[in-house]
DNA sequence: GAGTGAGGGATTGTTGAACAATCCGTCAAT
DNA sequence: ATTGACGGATTGTTCAACAATCCCTCACTC
């Protein structure tokens, strides 16, 4: 192991140190609350109340709000305050539109670069991540932990988009999936929703392993169409009480 | 014109009113400075100096910094300050990777939805925007305004990605192009760089009008490959004095 | 009863100052 | 040449205050 290997390994752990910012930690707390669903969409977050509850000043809290606003988990209305994001049906459709472009594009570009042999050594690790996500979901389903099935499903799609080997694609996908979490809470039966896609994930993995990239792209597109339709239907039924 | 038409037209102008935030206006000023190149990449932005120069408090200025950090025009290093983003060659490559996925994907999805006839009435307006950007660039070139040629080129690609009819794709593309502006300033000869792509833009427009969407996608991919190679070369030669 | 306008309380937007924590360059010591 | 300590400068965070804005209530008019 050469010196530069040491350094690059250490560099990978560097971000863990910089996590000292108070605003960042406040954002972490709120993010967890929101994605877990204990803060319902539409809830207004009072600067004074939350600041007092968390023991931070208003200014620091505002910085945390900006961070979460950037991730689209909160919306900031001028002179009115910040609210937990409330997604419309159009948002759901748009999120899946972007997913189609990103995920299918990631498979396509990954395949092109794989064929180019320029980055051949990274490919197995990328596919391993996909496989790990598939097995994580199957294991969670076997033990009946349906929330974990949903998490594993997100890992699966994050791993698929990672095939593009692009940090910016990874980040965009991460934000997209975090936003989607806001939607999943309106599903009455998360079991049936997530369970039905375990087989699809496995099938997509097999297509990738067989290097049938066109087939994989098509399978992902079909998956997304089906999931979008299911979500839109559930959303129209449950979420549209107002507006 | 029905009542709902009135309202939707007004709604389009609503964002112009909410621009009253001081932090937002400060961000506007700094953004212009950065994208125009008068603030060189790597420059450190002192809170005290800039706050005094612009007549705003440190807290407000910090909010403006977060906004620009979110757009990747500034980088925030904890306990060290904010700096004008300095893109590496890897960043340039990654930006073009994302552009390939977004722009080609937008054409493909736009074509699919166009064929579906569900949103047929919007299509001509989208193509008109592309045409307008092409002609804007040609007019600017004729008058020798090379900076405007670059701007028109960005409008062209923004219009192409708008074919996806997805607000989130539009926004992602907007941020991506703003980030790319940081790179263009290292080009020694912007004339030759931007000029060479005017004909490509026109050709892509013709392919779109002829509804040869596969051809258009291919043309865009080729365009991006060429532009990336040109930029990477210029960047390796000029920008890599340090690191 | 529906719509309009004027208070008034509550919340956010912004400022300025203050102190703690951290970084960075300098200089001495080994 | 590397290490360690000191000190100035900058950022991180808090606090208190005031201005600006929103929103609810209530009286008023027709």
């Amino acid at each position: 192991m050469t010196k530069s290997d040491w350094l690059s390994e250490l560099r990978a752990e560097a971000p863990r140190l910089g996590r000292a910012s108070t605003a960042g930690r406040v954002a972490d707390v709120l993010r967890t609350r929101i994605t877990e669903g204990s803060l319902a969409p539409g809830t207004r977050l009072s600067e004074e109340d939350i600041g007092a509850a968390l023991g931070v000043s208003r200014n620091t809290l505002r910085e945390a709000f900006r961070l979460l606003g950037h991730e689209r988990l909160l919306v900031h209305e001028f002179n009115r305050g910040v609210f937990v994001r409330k997604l419309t049906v159009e948002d759901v459709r748009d999120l899946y539109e972007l997913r189609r472009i990103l995920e299918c594009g990631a498979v396509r570009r990954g395949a092109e670069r794989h064929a180019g042999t320029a980055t051949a050594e990274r490919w197995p690790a990328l596919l391993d991540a996909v496989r790990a996500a598939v097995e994580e979901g199957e294991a969670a389903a076997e033990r009946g932990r349906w929330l974990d099935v949903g998490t594993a499903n997100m890992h699966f799609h994050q791993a698929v988009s990672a095939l593009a080997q692009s940090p910016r694609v990874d980040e965009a996908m991460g934000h997209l999936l975090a936003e989607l979490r806001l939607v999943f809470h309106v599903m009455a039966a998360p079991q049936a929703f997530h369970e039905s896609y375990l087989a699809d994930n496995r099938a997509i993995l097999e297509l990738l392993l067989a290097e049938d990239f066109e087939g994989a792209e098509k399978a992902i597109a079909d998956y997304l169409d089906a999931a979008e339709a299911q979500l839109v239907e559930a959303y129209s039924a449950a979420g549209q009480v107002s507006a």
Side-chain angles (χ1 to χ4, degrees), chain A:
Chain A
M1 181 176 280
T2 72
K3 180 180 174 185
S4 73
D5 285 335
W6 280 76
L7 292 177
S8 68
E9 275 188 20
L10 274 184
R11 187 169 187 150
E13 299 197 20
R16 218 180 293 176
L17 297 180
R19 272 288 166 199
S21 154
T22 307
R25 275 176 314 191
V26 170
D28 287 342
V29 171
L30 294 177
R31 182 179 12 249
T32 305
R33 287 273 169 186
I34 294 171
T35 56
E36 281 183 350
S38 57
L39 277 174
T43 307
R44 177 159 156 277
L45 271 49
S46 158
E47 292 186 355
E48 201 163 3
D49 294 351
I50 297 190
L54 268 57
V56 297
S57 86
R58 274 180 63 208
N59 284 324
T60 302
L61 188 60
R62 280 162 144 291
E63 284 206 8
F65 283 169
R66 307 291 171 172
L67 288 176
L68 296 171
H70 149 49
E71 299 173 28
R72 293 194 212 254
L73 297 180
L74 298 180
V75 288
H76 184 128
E77 298 185 22
F78 193 76
N79 270 322
R80 294 203 3 145
V82 299
F83 303 80
V84 179
R85 184 76 182 280
K86 203 173 187 174
L87 290 167
T88 66
V89 177
E90 287 75 28
D91 285 318
V92 175
R93 289 212 180 87
D94 193 44
L95 282 168
Y96 274 87
E97 195 65 52
L98 184 54
R99 281 188 76 172
R100 262 186 285 269
I101 291 176
L102 283 181
E103 295 192 39
C104 295
V107 168
R108 167 171 313 213
R109 280 295 299 165
E112 285 176 17
R113 294 177 68 174
H114 177 49
T117 71
T119 59
E121 69 275 5
R122 285 197 213 153
W123 190 254
L126 295 172
L127 283 186
D128 272 347
V130 178
R131 184 209 314 273
V134 169
E135 291 170 356
E136 176 191 350
E138 291 169 343
E142 225 167 286
R143 299 163 59 189
R145 305 190 54 108
W146 300 108
L147 228 65
D148 294 344
V149 177
T151 304
N153 203 26
M154 302 220 170
H155 290 166
F156 173 76
H157 289 281
Q158 187 86 55
V160 167
S161 62
L163 294 176
Q165 304 180 54
S166 158
R168 280 169 182 77
V169 169
D170 292 344
E171 191 194 300
M173 198 66 200
H175 285 174
L176 196 162
L177 290 176
E179 210 176 337
L180 262 185
R181 278 199 137 99
L182 291 172
V183 180
F184 290 149
H185 294 298
V186 310
M187 293 298 294
Q191 290 102 316
F193 178 68
H194 289 306
E195 184 186 27
S196 60
Y197 298 117
L198 283 175
D200 289 314
N201 292 356
R202 168 66 69 177
I204 291 167
L205 170 62
E206 299 298 340
L207 288 169
L208 288 174
L209 287 171
E211 309 223 330
D212 177 4
F213 299 118
E214 282 191 24
E217 204 181 321
K218 177 81 165 60
I220 292 173
D222 290 344
Y223 163 100
L224 290 174
D225 286 341
E228 176 186 347
Q230 203 172 343
L231 262 184
V232 164
E233 187 188 16
Y235 216 69
S236 310
Q240 291 300 85
V241 284
S242 67

